[in-house]
Amino acid sequence: MIDLFVIKVGGNVIDNPTLLEAFLQKFAAIKGKKILIHGGGKIATRMGDQLGIASRYVNGRRITDAATIDVVTMVYGGLVNKQLVAKLQANGCNAIGLTGADANIIPAVKRPVKEIDFGFVGDVTTDSVQAAPLQALLEAGMTPVFAPLTHDGKGQILNTNADTIASSLAIALSQHYSVRLIYCFEKKGVLHDANDDNAVINLIDRQIYEELKADNVLTDGILPKLENAFAAIESGVAEVLIGHADDVQSNTTDTVAGTLIR
């Protein structure tokens, strides 16, 4: 029986007030213990533009220089996080906003410079995540809401991928709970046909995954999500689900609308 849901919601929902309100109502209605991890990259880009701080990307990843880390800290840890917390409170969910620096929950290491200097970007190791503070909050009936920020233990905030934070939290907490990690995005799940949004594959295990790869059914975009999903499962997470943000509430039940990975 699943007794903790770790849910990551993507930027396309965060950026749209109507979609966001609908998502938060459904998230608030989920019974039991839950954690929310959010992004907010497009909002950070807009705020940076207003401040005259241009966003730079390499291979789709943000370069986080000294000016940019200030912007993303303000936007992710302040504006977006506290708006989500306030909206969840309005929906009867006792949320508490956090970053990885709070209670030292997610220490990280600044990404080493190789071919590219990503700046103040944090890489997380699963064994560094401190589960005890989160357990205390969950057992007290609170719902942690995480911004995609960590810290290096020396006073520096680091920008960290929200998918990575979700996976790291799920793995650390799987030592204490049966965890379903849910990635919410704009598709209904893993698809048999990338051009048919209704061609959802409802269940994938390692054997089915290898067969789908061999048959070239999976697109390049979904492969990293599935590899991360199996890495989480192999590290103790009971289940991973990939599905549409609209289906978040039903995807915490036994009858899922997305793709359940075991």
Side-chain angles (χ1 to χ4, degrees):
M1 178 179 176
I2 300 297
D3 47 25
L4 173 64
F5 299 101
V6 177
I7 299 171
K8 186 263 177 174
V9 61
N12 62 320
V13 177
I14 299 295
D15 298 331
N16 185 311
T18 302
L19 294 178
L20 180 59
E21 185 62 40
F23 171 83
L24 292 175
Q25 287 176 5
K26 292 171 183 174
F27 177 86
I30 294 169
K31 304 298 184 184
K33 297 177 178 65
K34 57 203 175 194
I35 296 174
L36 181 64
I37 301 93
H38 66 83
K42 292 179 182 177
I43 298 172
T45 297
R46 290 200 300 269
M47 186 67 71
D49 289 344
Q50 291 172 21
L51 296 171
I53 301 168
S55 298
R56 295 186 296 128
Y57 297 86
V58 175
N59 297 328
R61 296 184 180 275
R62 186 187 297 271
I63 302 296
T64 309
D65 58 17
T68 302
I69 191 63
D70 287 347
V71 172
V72 298
T73 300
M74 288 188 291
V75 172
Y76 299 162
L79 179 65
V80 175
N81 188 267
K82 299 314 172 191
Q83 285 181 341
L84 293 180
V85 169
K87 290 178 184 298
L88 285 172
Q89 295 289 358
N91 281 285
C93 176
N94 191 14
I96 180 169
L98 299 168
T99 72
D102 294 295
N104 193 34
I105 293 172
I106 315 176
V109 176
K110 186 174 180 290
R111 183 169 297 167
V113 177
K114 296 180 180 178
E115 295 85 3
I116 301 163
D117 183 357
F118 283 99
F120 295 102
V121 169
D123 291 328
V124 180
T125 58
T126 302
D127 57 4
S128 71
V129 176
Q130 306 298 305
L134 278 177
Q135 281 183 272
L137 293 172
L138 290 167
E139 296 302 327
M142 298 184 196
T143 296
V145 178
F146 271 90
L149 299 167
T150 57
H151 76 126
D152 68 355
K154 302 172 185 177
Q156 179 62 58
I157 291 287
L158 299 169
N159 185 14
T160 301
N161 180 272
D163 285 354
T164 300
I165 288 180
S167 176
S168 298
L169 291 174
I171 291 169
L173 287 162
S174 68
Q175 299 177 41
H176 310 282
Y177 303 96
S178 178
V179 178
R180 179 181 291 177
L181 170 61
I182 302 176
Y183 287 112
C184 298
F185 73 143
E186 69 278 3
K187 298 290 185 181
K188 293 182 179 180
V190 181
L191 305 176
H192 271 295
D193 180 352
N195 297 315
D196 183 355
D197 285 347
N198 294 312
V200 177
I201 305 170
N202 294 117
L203 180 65
I204 297 178
D205 59 18
R206 177 62 82 170
Q207 179 179 343
I208 294 171
Y209 173 55
E210 298 299 339
E211 291 171 356
L212 292 169
K213 272 206 307 185
D215 293 339
N216 294 316
V217 171
L218 304 171
T219 63
D220 291 341
I222 204 67
L223 283 170
K225 281 184 169 58
L226 287 170
E227 286 294 348
N228 287 333
F230 282 111
I233 287 169
E234 289 160 7
S235 297
V237 176
E239 299 171 340
V240 181
L241 191 137
I242 299 173
H244 201 288
D246 288 347
D247 297 322
V248 64
Q249 188 175 1
S250 61
N251 282 340
T252 60
T253 68
D254 292 333
T255 305
V256 300
T259 300
L260 191 63
I261 300 154
R262 290 175 170 165

